[in-house]
Amino acid sequence: MSTPTSPGTPAVAAVSAGFGRDVTENLAQIAAHVEAARARGVRLLALPEACLGGYLSVLGRGRDGSGDELPADLPPVMDLDGPELRRVAAIAREMTLVVGLCESDGAERYNTAAIVTGDGVVGAHRKVHQPLGERLFYAAGQGYAAFDTPAGRVGALICYDKAFPEAARALALDGAEVVACISAWPASRTSGAEDIAQDRWTTRFNLFDAARALENQVVWVASNQHGTFGSLRFVANAKVVGPGGDVLASTGTAAGLAVAHVDVPAALETARRAMFHLGDRRPDTYPATLAQGAPTREPVRA
């Protein structure tokens, strides 16, 4: 399905850009992206995973920590009610932003996505699924929730979470109209392609985005880091995917903004009119671990 778009329709957008350890520079870059998005009518903007302090510089130690690579340093720890996110809220104003940071509950570090409006943090997601050596430096999150924002009901995921259909489905069942999946998704470490557009992990990144949008019939907003950080080379490809799995906007392998003018409730209503995947589920036939929940909301036009 192709979702109609027009410049007069409110927009959603995703950022492809590089962010390192300099928090002051990161905040300035976030402000610049927000201003560029605001000028194009964007109401919801997803920035990359770890955009407030940078990601890990290596992921090479493996699941058991037996490898010989360690990051030179770790991302700075921030509080959800701390000065950095208060600054993000001031930047956001009437917009809804999804930003990535390293958060702590006082005992553990988490890779976190915060959903921020001009009023402050309205919700947060701690990354649940951890690739390779990430678990050596972060604790895992334990759940999924969608939150009401000025841009609609929004859920957040982080990077590897998108590889697990249950994660996006949990948000859809909680009424998410838009899922923002923020990433620091790198190219293949073992058999990478010289042309990053041909890298197998670029292909997988894009396939996951389209599949998660289509199977849940939601608007999917995928940000990603761009460039390199430490030993990692990121695949970029920030994009907006419609509820039919069609890519409405993409940065490709470049840095920049992927902006799609889309009436989210109308797009969901159209996609779900004939075939409503959430409503046509058969939980009674699924294994007990999957047979949980029912769709709580259908899109309602304002």
Side-chain angles (χ1 to χ4, degrees), residues 110-131:
Y110 296 93
N111 188 340
T112 297
I115 301 172
V116 186
T117 71
D119 293 327
V121 176
V122 299
H125 168 71
R126 291 170 172 171
K127 187 174 182 179
V128 173
H129 301 94
Q130 298 177 306

Side-chain angles (χ1 to χ4, degrees), residues 8-31:
T9 305
V12 297
V15 172
S16 167
F19 293 85
R21 292 282 183 264
D22 188 330
V23 176
T24 300
E25 169 58 29
N26 292 343
L27 286 166
Q29 189 177 173
I30 288 169

Side-chain angles (χ1 to χ4, degrees), residues 191-208:
S191 56
E194 183 175 345
D195 179 359
I196 203 164
Q198 303 303 316
D199 191 271
R200 61 180 181 170
W201 279 105
T202 302
T203 300
R204 293 171 186 180
F205 182 86
N206 292 331
L207 284 172
F208 284 137

Side-chain angles (χ1 to χ4, degrees), residues 58 85 89 91 118 128 152 171 220 224 227 260 282 294:
V58 297
L85 285 175
I91 292 168
V128 173
L171 292 176
W220 187 270
N224 199 18
R282 286 287 311 281

Side-chain angles (χ1 to χ4, degrees), residues 224-245:
N224 199 18
Q225 294 258 4
H226 174 270
T228 61
F229 186 71
S231 67
L232 303 182
R233 180 175 65 140
F234 301 109
V235 307
N237 277 273
K239 68 177 70 63
V240 178
V241 187

